[in-house]
Amino acid sequence: MLYDLNIAWSPTTSASELERTLKFAKNLGYDVVALNQTITGNIPTQPHPISNPIPQLTHPHPSFPGGGSSTNITSTATARTTATTTRTTNLSTTASSAVPSSSLPTILRRVTLTVTDPSTTNYRLVDFARSYDLLALRPTNDKAFSWACLSTTEPPAIISLDLTQFLGFHIHHRTAMAAVHRGTRFEICYSQAFLSGNTVDAQRARSNFIGNVLGLLRATKGRGIIVSSEAKSALGLRGPADVVNLLAVWGLGPEKGTEALGTVPRAVVVNEGVKRRGFRGVVDIVQTAPGGKVRSEEEEGDVEGDAKLSKKQRKLQQKQQQGQKQKQQQQGQKPGVQQGQGQKRKNGEAGGGGTDGGGQQKKQAK
């Protein structure tokens, strides 16, 4: 399965444009995509809890609550979205009724927070994680980058840098690998390099993008990398083979490039689903595999009884084997003792005869 965890979405996105983009992503071979809402500026303090305006167009992913059945879509969306604006509600209704779910990939809902001051963002991360399927951070300075990699209360799923801008800080190997070991993945959005126009700003953005990608790959050594599009329309999407070839030009090998589109983002989605479905992100309830046999209470009792009987039988067999060994040892020792006693008697008689013969010889000599 192929993943694109960043397709740009905003409340002003039209339903027809969204439908066109999602269908084109499905035709390119992407099975799971994420609609991404980017929040810049100060993090809102109200309302509490945070609402999720992104429409739920398809069934939830199987890793998330309600992903196993189609009847839980409404309840899941209602539980996770407490209040939406009238404009957003109309967009959701129009899009969900106009777009058949069979022609669309599985859709996740993601939020990206632009972080400048970590002190104003840290206490709201839990609320955003509850409202959205995926949580990503976009630090803009060295302090925010170190905080996103090392000091967040819960490690974010994705760190997505704006690679078209001059970062102003150096991505250190230890900091980046510490974030990877915590479970965070770094995102490269290839559509940032496809800025149209030959203006100075576009050329500078492309050069910044290539330099920042090389620096990120050097710091991470190609590990923990996710490749997404961040496409604002269907024109920003590219086929998986084209993306892998493009990454190979920038320094990411074909094997790791393929993993960045499939294995790595899948691990992120499954991990985030377990956090929201399991108990404290650790204990998860696993359903019976399809086709498996569910035992009744009587069968379980019979199995337990058979197990107890088998244990008793094993103990009896062990006792019998030990008794046979002891008997064999005793039988093997008795003949040896008797033979030893018989040899002693023979030796004694022979010795006694020798003494008598010696006495008779002495008497004859006298």
Side-chain angles (χ1 to χ4, degrees):
M1 296 179 67
L2 297 177
Y3 291 72
D4 186 356
L5 299 184
N6 191 348
I7 291 180
W9 181 90
S10 65
T12 59
T13 303
S14 62
S16 59
E17 184 66 25
L18 182 61
E19 176 185 358
R20 188 182 303 109
T21 304
L22 295 175
K23 284 186 175 181
F24 188 62
K26 180 69 172 180
N27 293 332
L28 289 176
Y30 295 101
D31 302 298
V32 180
V33 300
L35 297 179
N36 179 33
Q37 180 187 12
T38 302
I39 298 177
T40 58
N42 296 327
I43 303 300
T45 57
Q46 296 294 335
H48 183 80
I50 297 172
S51 61
N52 185 352
I54 301 177
Q56 183 72 60
L57 301 179
T58 59
H59 304 323
H61 192 272
S63 300
F64 288 85
S69 60
S70 60
T71 57
N72 295 330
I73 298 176
T74 305
S75 61
T76 304
T78 304
R80 298 177 58 185
T81 306
T82 56
T84 56
T85 60
T86 306
R87 184 176 186 179
T88 304
T89 305
N90 294 335
L91 174 62
S92 175
T93 306
T94 304
S96 60
S97 60
V99 183
S101 59
S102 59
S103 62
L104 299 180
T106 302
I107 298 175
L108 301 174
R109 299 185 292 178
R110 162 184 162 177
V111 62
T112 300
L113 304 179
T114 302
V115 181
T116 303
D117 186 7
S119 61
T120 61
T121 309
N122 193 15
Y123 72 100
R124 298 307 305 271
L125 292 182
V126 177
D127 297 332
F128 278 103
R130 291 173 181 172
S131 301
Y132 292 83
D133 297 329
L134 299 175
L135 173 65
L137 299 180
R138 176 163 287 182
T140 58
N141 51 45
D142 190 11
K143 180 181 178 182
F145 180 76
S146 299
W147 168 79
C149 293
L150 304 174
S151 304
T152 55
T153 53
E154 290 290 335
I158 300 170
I159 293 179
S160 178
L161 297 171
D162 188 0
L163 301 177
T164 60
Q165 302 295 326
F166 178 71
L167 297 180
F169 58 90
H170 184 69
I171 302 176
H172 296 281
H173 172 70
R174 291 185 178 179
T175 305
M177 293 312 300
V180 172
H181 291 319
R182 293 182 68 197
T184 303
R185 299 294 179 260
F186 292 94
E187 183 180 47
I188 297 176
C189 300
Y190 58 82
S191 67
Q192 295 177 357
F194 301 150
L195 297 177
S196 61
N198 294 323
T199 61
V200 177
D201 294 337
Q203 294 177 359
R204 186 176 301 166
R206 285 192 288 267
S207 63
N208 288 336
F209 178 83
I210 295 173
N212 291 329
V213 167
L214 294 176
L216 182 60
L217 295 178
R218 175 197 50 77
T220 60
K221 296 183 179 180
R223 289 177 288 183
I225 297 295
I226 291 176
V227 178
S228 302
S229 64
E230 200 177 13
K232 298 180 181 179
S233 64
L235 297 176
L237 295 172
R238 294 294 183 274
D242 296 336
V243 175
V244 172
N245 293 333
L246 191 61
L247 292 172
V249 174
W250 292 333
L252 190 65
E255 294 181 358
K256 291 185 178 180
T258 305
E259 292 178 357
L261 290 173
T263 305
V264 180
R266 179 188 178 278
V268 171
V269 172
V270 172
N271 187 29
E272 293 300 311
V274 170
K275 286 182 180 179
R276 289 156 177 75
R277 188 182 67 244
F279 175 72
R280 294 184 178 179
V282 178
V283 181
D284 188 18
I285 300 174
V286 181
Q287 297 180 355
T288 307
K293 181 180 179 181
V294 180
R295 294 177 178 176
S296 61
E297 295 181 357
E298 296 179 356
E299 292 179 349
E300 290 181 355
D302 296 338
V303 171
E304 292 178 357
D306 295 339
K308 292 180 181 179
L309 291 174
S310 62
K311 289 182 180 179
K312 291 181 180 180
Q313 291 176 357
R314 289 176 183 175
K315 289 181 180 180
L316 291 174
Q317 291 178 357
Q318 290 177 357
K319 289 181 179 179
Q320 291 176 359
Q321 291 177 357
Q322 291 177 358
Q324 291 178 358
K325 289 181 180 179
Q326 291 177 357
K327 289 180 180 179
Q328 291 177 358
Q329 290 176 359
Q330 292 176 0
Q331 291 177 359
Q333 290 177 358
K334 288 180 179 180
V337 174
Q338 293 176 358
Q339 290 177 0
Q341 293 177 356
Q343 289 176 357
K344 288 182 181 180
R345 289 177 182 175
K346 289 180 181 178
N347 294 332
E349 292 177 355
T355 53
D356 294 340
Q360 291 179 0
Q361 289 177 357
K362 289 180 181 178
K363 288 180 181 179
Q364 291 177 358
K366 288 181 180 179

